[in-house]
Amino acid sequence: MKKINQSGLTAAVLLFFSFSFYVPAQAQPQESYYPYSYARISYLQGEARVERASDLGVEAAEVNFALGSGDKIVTENGLVELSFGRENFLRLDRYSALEIARLPQDENGDFSFHLYQGRAYLRINYLEQEKSFSVHTGDASFYVLQSGLYRFEAEESEGTIAIALEGSLEASGENQSFAL
């Protein structure tokens, strides 16, 4: 009788362990995940909306809203702050429109934004390499060369104003390039 109980117990233990180590193919880890391949809304005051990439629709912006490449943020009478991790932020003023053109897919990727109109402040506290953050407007492109604080104003009829409050930028236009 004891022999049957021991063999039954052994079979139960083996069965338990065989199920505990089984991981369905769907639950197995996919490709490695890069934590900076998205942005999130970290602050919102007033009204703003998110126009999703690839015509996926328009949604009201909310705090902790995840954003990806191609998403466009439009502020009405509101203020929005986007967080990119590593204490890097972009703040949009009222009546602004910004597209997240590109977010990094791995550690060698870069952040690229298109400011259509309005005012944006870019705070870079961690810069892995020069020019890994860029802001593009209708008439110029700006590349971050150092950690710092930068202000951009874009108006279709009046052009672009860029100010390096801290740090340095490279400004590139149609015919020339220079450091700010």
Side-chain angles (χ1 to χ4, degrees), residues 161-175:
I161 297 172
I163 302 170
L165 299 167
E166 297 172 17
S168 65
L169 285 173
E170 178 182 330
S172 298
E174 194 172 304
N175 297 323

Side-chain angles (χ1 to χ4, degrees), residues 18-179:
S18 66
F19 282 123
S20 65
F21 291 113
Y22 171 73
V23 178
Q26 304 156 346
Q28 290 179 353
Q30 299 291 325
E31 297 177 24
S32 64
Y33 169 74
Y34 187 63
Y36 305 107
S37 61
Y38 72 97
R40 72 176 183 86
I41 296 176
S42 53
Y43 176 80
L44 174 65
Q45 177 187 4
E47 298 176 29
R49 69 179 186 273
V50 175
E51 297 174 4
R52 291 298 191 173
S54 305
D55 295 326
L56 293 177
V58 177
E59 302 176 60
E62 295 181 18
V63 173
N64 286 327
F65 209 86
L67 303 167
S69 295
D71 288 346
K72 185 176 181 182
I73 301 91
V74 179
T75 61
E76 305 296 331
N77 189 16
L79 305 171
V80 174
E81 179 183 79
L82 307 178
S83 173
F84 305 103
R86 297 180 175 166
E87 297 185 28
N88 295 322
F89 301 95
L90 187 138
R91 294 176 179 103
L92 286 176
D93 203 355
R94 291 173 171 76
Y95 309 107
S96 298
L98 176 109
E99 179 183 351
I100 300 172
R102 185 176 45 252
L103 293 172
Q105 299 303 311
D106 58 28
E107 59 274 350
N108 296 323
D110 60 341
F111 297 83
S112 181
F113 312 103
H114 190 116
L115 182 63
Y116 292 100
Q117 69 178 35
R119 190 175 0 198
Y121 291 87
L122 182 62
R123 165 56 83 182
I124 303 298
N125 288 312
Y126 178 83
L127 186 65
E128 196 164 334
Q129 61 184 355
E130 284 186 349
K131 300 184 182 183
S132 60
F133 280 85
S134 62
V135 176
H136 307 277
T137 63
D139 61 349
S141 295
F142 304 92
Y143 302 93
V144 176
L145 301 176
Q146 296 176 337
S147 298
L149 177 62
Y150 307 97
R151 177 180 157 186
F152 304 93
E153 288 184 44
E155 296 300 329
E156 292 177 21
S157 61
E158 297 178 24
T160 303
I161 297 172
I163 302 170
L165 299 167
E166 297 172 17
S168 65
L169 285 173
E170 178 182 330
S172 298
E174 194 172 304
N175 297 323
Q176 62 183 357
S177 174
F178 56 92

